[in-house]
Amino acid sequence: MKWEAIEEVLHELGETSQEKWEQLFEKWSDHRWHDHERPSEKTNVLLMDAGFILTDGRANLEALHQWLADHVQTTVSDLYLVSLFPYQSKQQDTAIDSRVQLFEDLGRFTDTFDLIYEMTPEVWNEAQFDLVTVTDELIERLAYGATKIRVHVEAFRGMEPERVKHILKLWRIVMHTYKPNAQLIIANERVDSALIYETEADVVCHFDLSSHVILAFAQADVTRLSDWASQVHPLRADQTYFNFLSSAERDPFEKNLMDADPLAILAAHSVLLSLQGIPLIDYRTLFGVTQPIEQEDLVRALKRNPDRLRVYEGILSQLNVKRLQPALSPYTDQEIVRLDRRVFAVKRKHQGETLLLLTNMSEETVQTDCEGTSLFTEEWMSHVTLRPYEYVWLKQTHTGE
């Protein structure tokens, strides 16, 4: 443990008892720690309800793992598991701590996916908050497979912002000590105070992408979306954003669309994947199902509904293309291009290549002067024409600037 760095933050927090902290770190000293890869273009996150797959009406983590391993493992790198607590353990396990039982059951996922966990509860109150206990829970999540941990700063009710900042700083040091590539994801819906906490984050959540995308579709005009994306301030080189169209706290994206046309849903995800940051896909959008479902029923639902299948296959196709392009690393910069009020356009560069990602957010056909090699078909395209809601990702070679 980096005790000097820890001690400095504890002093800032007014934590004077070194003994209890030493006992905490001693508790985890014999654990076999395994680091994971740093986020890259291969990092695609799937928001997943832990109780989504049922067997005879009961949530089945083993069946969920098997389904995901069979259908998305080659495309999705991370599972952002929600609805984990409280965990309903098997009847014969009633003598086992439910949280410990949960982490043991989740162990099967860690060889297949990286895991993102939430810190709970949803609200911490200053009088009830025990920093040692909660830090132990954070370390426990790391020990049981988490590579990324999301903390919502609004959960720290009644605490001074400076104290919250020191707590986040402590947790980030602890996480990076055990797993140098671990990521502390900080969520803060209050834009006015977001900058206070960003310095302590590895990853910063964006909450307003969805509303701008919905507005662009409604108006068939990307001006405000492009303005917003242009004004996103750059982070440190070792930081990135967390981008999503819907989240655990919100309805699935398509529920808020005026027109839930599969083409519009895929166009929205083209926008999502074109932006700098780690993208999150909502399982409710990917599978077209909002409630827990028996595994056999999910298979039948996808096969029988062509719109649902089109969205499922289209999103996976986008993710598979993205994960092969270093220019789409969450750490490469973005440049918003103004081509046409109906087309959202982003440039992403890596070494000698430029990617130009075009998304038509209108029901009109749009002519452009753009050219390049399609990342989907590997064919050369010139004077690209975009049909309604069509997206085209182009690779353009350049010779330095």
Side-chain angles (χ1 to χ4, degrees):
M1 180 54 62
K2 302 175 182 175
W3 183 249
E4 289 184 3
I6 293 288
E7 195 172 35
E8 180 182 338
V9 185
L10 292 178
H11 177 73
E12 292 169 342
L13 285 163
E15 292 279 327
T16 57
S17 174
Q18 181 171 323
E19 183 180 357
K20 62 182 180 181
W21 287 97
E22 289 176 339
Q23 289 174 350
L24 169 61
F25 299 134
E26 178 64 25
K27 170 184 174 180
W28 294 103
S29 61
D30 293 331
H31 184 82
R32 296 181 62 186
W33 294 97
H34 301 283
D35 199 14
H36 303 257
E37 293 183 3
R38 184 172 184 258
S40 71
E41 62 276 6
K42 296 180 177 62
T43 305
N44 296 322
V45 179
L46 178 63
L47 175 73
M48 195 72 245
D49 188 318
F52 178 58
I53 295 293
L54 306 178
T55 300
D56 297 328
R58 293 187 57 132
N60 187 331
L61 279 174
E62 185 173 355
L64 174 65
H65 174 255
Q66 192 59 54
W67 167 267
L68 295 174
D70 289 344
H71 293 86
V72 303
Q73 179 187 355
T74 57
T75 304
V76 169
S77 61
D78 292 55
L79 296 181
Y80 176 11
L81 294 164
V82 295
S83 300
L84 290 174
F85 302 98
Y87 176 61
Q88 300 299 320
S89 56
K90 303 182 186 72
Q91 188 66 39
Q92 62 267 30
D93 293 331
T94 51
I96 301 176
D97 183 295
S98 62
R99 192 176 73 248
V100 173
Q101 181 65 45
L102 168 65
F103 285 130
E104 289 178 352
D105 282 356
L106 288 173
R108 61 174 59 89
F109 288 86
T110 58
D111 290 335
T112 317
F113 302 98
D114 286 352
L115 300 179
I116 302 178
Y117 291 155
E118 291 268 7
M119 288 298 291
T120 53
E122 294 180 359
V123 175
W124 284 302
N125 161 323
E126 176 73 64
Q128 300 170 336
F129 185 76
D130 184 322
L131 182 55
V132 178
T133 299
V134 182
T135 303
D136 185 32
E137 293 173 1
L138 176 114
I139 299 172
E140 184 179 50
R141 283 160 169 73
L142 288 177
Y144 285 97
T147 64
K148 303 171 185 67
I149 295 178
R150 182 178 181 265
V151 179
H152 205 305
V153 296
E154 292 177 353
F156 296 93
R157 295 288 173 86
M159 296 193 197
E160 291 296 324
E162 198 63 21
R163 175 167 171 77
V164 174
K165 185 176 178 180
H166 291 323
I167 291 170
L168 297 173
K169 182 178 180 179
L170 170 69
W171 287 353
R172 187 163 179 256
I173 292 171
V174 169
M175 289 177 65
H176 287 191
T177 298
Y178 291 120
K179 294 184 177 181
N181 288 325
Q183 305 283 299
L184 178 63
I185 304 173
I186 292 182
N188 184 14
E189 294 192 56
R190 292 185 55 188
V191 178
D192 59 331
S193 63
L195 291 175
I196 298 174
Y197 308 106
E198 281 185 4
T199 55
E200 309 310 330
D202 294 299
V203 182
V204 178
C205 285
H206 265 155
F207 281 94
D208 39 7
L209 172 61
S210 178
S211 60
H212 286 290
V213 171
I214 290 170
L215 181 64
F217 280 125
Q219 298 179 339
D221 189 335
V222 304
T223 303
R224 291 179 66 175
L225 172 61
S226 295
D227 289 345
W228 170 80
S230 297
Q231 293 165 10
V232 169
H233 62 276
L235 299 171
R236 294 193 315 263
D238 63 341
Q239 291 179 305
T240 191
Y241 284 105
F242 196 48
N243 299 322
F244 43 85
L245 295 170
S246 53
S247 65
E249 301 92 346
R250 302 182 179 190
D251 289 330
F253 171 77
E254 62 274 13
K255 185 176 180 179
N256 298 306
L257 272 183
M258 295 174 64
D259 178 4
D261 186 323
L263 294 178
I265 296 173
L266 292 176
H269 283 78
S270 172
V271 173
L272 169 70
L273 300 184
S274 69
L275 295 171
Q276 179 187 11
I278 296 171
L280 175 139
I281 308 298
D282 190 330
Y283 76 99
R284 297 168 295 184
T285 299
L286 183 63
F287 301 125
V289 179
T290 59
Q291 300 294 327
I293 188 171
E294 297 281 336
Q295 186 169 346
E296 297 77 12
D297 293 339
L298 178 57
V299 174
R300 283 194 289 269
L302 283 172
K303 288 182 177 179
R304 292 177 179 176
N305 187 320
D307 285 349
R308 186 176 296 178
L309 186 61
R310 187 171 193 172
V311 169
Y312 172 76
E313 292 180 340
I315 291 176
L316 291 185
S317 174
Q318 291 176 348
L319 294 174
N320 279 323
V321 169
K322 170 193 167 285
R323 67 190 306 275
L324 298 176
Q325 304 300 324
L328 296 180
S329 160
Y331 300 102
T332 60
D333 294 335
Q334 65 187 28
E335 176 189 347
I336 306 303
V337 182
R338 313 282 181 148
L339 290 178
D340 183 288
R341 64 174 178 78
R342 297 162 292 182
V343 177
F344 186 69
V346 183
K347 279 188 177 180
R348 305 287 298 277
K349 297 180 180 180
H350 175 76
Q351 297 179 356
E353 287 182 347
T354 296
L355 300 187
L356 177 62
L357 299 94
L358 309 172
T359 307
N360 183 1
M361 303 188 73
S362 76
E363 295 180 337
E364 302 172 1
T365 297
V366 181
Q367 304 279 346
T368 79
D369 293 328
C370 301
E371 60 181 23
T373 302
S374 168
L375 295 182
F376 291 97
T377 66
E378 298 186 350
E379 297 176 340
W380 175 261
M381 303 179 70
S382 60
H383 301 286
V384 170
T385 297
L386 295 168
R387 297 187 298 274
Y389 298 143
E390 186 177 14
Y391 52 91
V392 173
W393 298 357
L394 301 173
K395 179 178 291 187
Q396 304 172 319
T397 303
H398 61 85
T399 56
E401 297 180 359

